[in-house]
Amino acid sequence: MTRPPRTLVLPPRLTVSARTLRATALRRGLRIVEATASAVAASASELEGGAVHLHAGPSFADVVAPTLGIALLEAPADWLALLPRALTRRDVRAMPIGDAYRLRRPAFVKSPNDKSISALVYADGSRLPGPDAVDPATVVLVSDVMTFAVEYRLHVLDGAVRTAGQYAEAGRLRLGPPDGDALAFGRDVLAAAGASLPSAIVVDVGRDDEGQWAVIEANAAWASGCYLADPERALDTVLRAAGPAADLSPRDRTFVR
């Protein structure tokens, strides 16, 4: 009996990375569905019978995933804050945004796993979105301001870096191949903290002007660009990071969004 084809669901407006992953998925024989989140949810019954995956931003994924039985893997909200200082090179704390309002110094503040709080350097806590816009209990990551000379994205699958690439230099988009030192640092990070990540994830790392390496953040692979990484290996990570909940390993169940 022939198995139904796997399906990759995408939003209607695709980034360059999403188009690359779409082309890679088509070469593998996956069925592609491109539609709005509401349209996908409304036609969920038509996708039954085969494994369904997605690659999209959090707002799209949050609508589509429950309807299609997709489990979205992501890092714990406080993962970066719990890393040792030797890996972050800066103070990072996870706290309710209500507490962050009391900051009286510049700090880099962001949402752990989405873009609900813009990732910016805020002059102090008074510049953050107020309680009229955000629930004061919403957790944010607050860190010392650190400037990176170069930044790399590592696609991690089963505790190993499967592919990587440079995505920024001096704070601006600049694509390039993976750097050997970035890959070595990535291995160090996974050796120290890989057990606290799901089986499929993206980890961004960077080097400052003094040559020190640091973890920038962890991101959901299903919502992350692949840039110049090997698209086949990047797709492997995406498919695991957003696939059928029924196929989850016991370990990954604790990392579902």
Side-chain angles (χ1 to χ4, degrees), residues 50-64:
V52 183
H53 309 261
L54 68 77
H55 177 70
S59 59
F60 182 100
D62 286 341
V63 172
V64 169

Side-chain angles (χ1 to χ4, degrees), residues 72-251:
L72 303 171
L73 302 183
E74 64 184 11
D78 60 354
W79 181 77
L80 186 65
L82 294 178
L83 291 181
R85 182 86 177 227
L87 295 180
T88 64
R89 301 292 181 180
R90 63 201 188 280
D91 181 66
V92 184
R93 300 183 185 184
M95 66 178 70
I97 195 171
D99 293 349
Y101 292 150
R102 295 195 287 271
L103 288 170
R104 292 297 176 263
R105 59 178 175 80
F108 181 79
V109 183
K110 70 180 293 291
S111 297
N113 286 313
D114 57 40
K115 299 183 185 299
S116 58
I117 307 298
S118 297
L120 296 170
V121 174
Y122 294 86
D124 57 49
S126 69
R127 305 301 179 91
L128 290 164
D132 57 330
V134 181
D135 184 337
T138 300
V139 174
V140 293
L141 291 175
V142 177
S143 70
D144 293 338
V145 179
M146 183 173 182
T147 301
F148 292 95
V150 63
E151 301 168 50
Y152 295 87
R153 173 154 293 169
L154 314 177
H155 290 260
V156 177
L157 187 63
D158 292 325
V161 177
R162 294 303 176 92
T163 186
Q166 177 182 313
Y167 66 88
E169 187 174 296
R172 297 189 177 186
L173 183 69
R174 187 178 180 86
L175 307 185
D179 177 276
D181 290 339
L183 295 175
F185 179 67
R187 289 192 290 270
D188 291 342
V189 172
L190 294 175
S196 57
L197 289 170
S199 67
I201 195 74
V202 160
V203 177
D204 293 346
V205 302
R207 174 176 51 76
D208 68 10
D209 289 327
E210 297 178 356
Q212 296 188 110
W213 286 92
V215 176
I216 299 172
E217 60 187 355
N219 290 301
W222 46 265
S224 298
C226 63
Y227 302 116
L228 294 185
D230 182 317
E232 291 285 350
R233 295 184 176 189
L235 181 61
D236 287 339
T237 309
V238 170
L239 296 179
R240 176 78 66 79
D247 295 344
L248 274 180
S249 67
R251 180 184 178 278

